[in-house]
Amino acid sequence: ADMLEDLEREMRRVADHIGVNVPEAEWPRLVDACRFDYMKKESERLLGDMSFAFKGGTNTFMNSGTNGRWRDLLTDEDIELYRDAMTRTLEPACARWLESGGATD
């Protein structure tokens, strides 16, 4: 959600967090290359053949670039399994970030 809201801001935040210095003049090109429409158009080249894992290959994997599509696909039991796994494996701050986004630093 954060990346859909402001891709460049989030890319800069990640680069800063991991200590990568990107020349200012490179940002527009990098941000454009990370936009969903570009990645979808170039998915076969970027990801290779994904037909072994997804019916429809990269076209299915790079479906629509929207959030929350899973809500119409998962059952209550699926969501309960997810919540149980999340509680067992993630710190509360990480779980909040996973579900809601937002900078945690």
Side-chain angles (χ1 to χ4, degrees):
D2 296 335
M3 293 179 101
L4 287 174
E5 180 184 316
D6 189 335
L7 179 60
E8 183 171 347
R9 177 194 68 212
E10 292 305 303
M11 288 177 65
R12 286 177 180 269
R13 192 176 69 77
V14 169
D16 184 56
H17 180 77
I18 63 174
V20 172
N21 294 314
V22 176
E24 194 61 34
E26 290 297 313
W27 278 110
R29 183 182 64 78
L30 292 173
V31 172
D32 284 344
C34 291
R35 294 195 187 286
F36 182 83
D37 57 341
Y38 176 84
M39 291 192 298
K40 175 128 177 135
K41 183 178 75 170
E42 298 292 329
S43 62
E44 190 75 27
R45 183 179 65 81
L46 295 169
L47 301 171
D49 180 16
M50 295 190 74
S51 61
F52 69 93
F54 295 94
K55 183 179 181 180
T58 57
N59 219 22
T60 301
F61 180 73
M62 299 290 291
N63 186 11
S64 66
T66 58
N67 290 326
R69 288 184 56 247
W70 58 269
R71 288 184 182 97
D72 296 331
L73 301 173
L74 299 180
T75 65
D76 289 342
E77 182 180 280
D78 293 333
I79 293 171
E80 185 176 331
L81 288 170
Y82 158 75
R83 296 251 182 250
D84 289 345
M86 185 176 61
T87 301
R88 281 191 322 274
T89 58
L90 299 176
E91 296 291 326
C94 184
R96 276 192 305 280
W97 173 83
L98 180 65
E99 289 195 342
S100 305
T104 60
D105 48 18

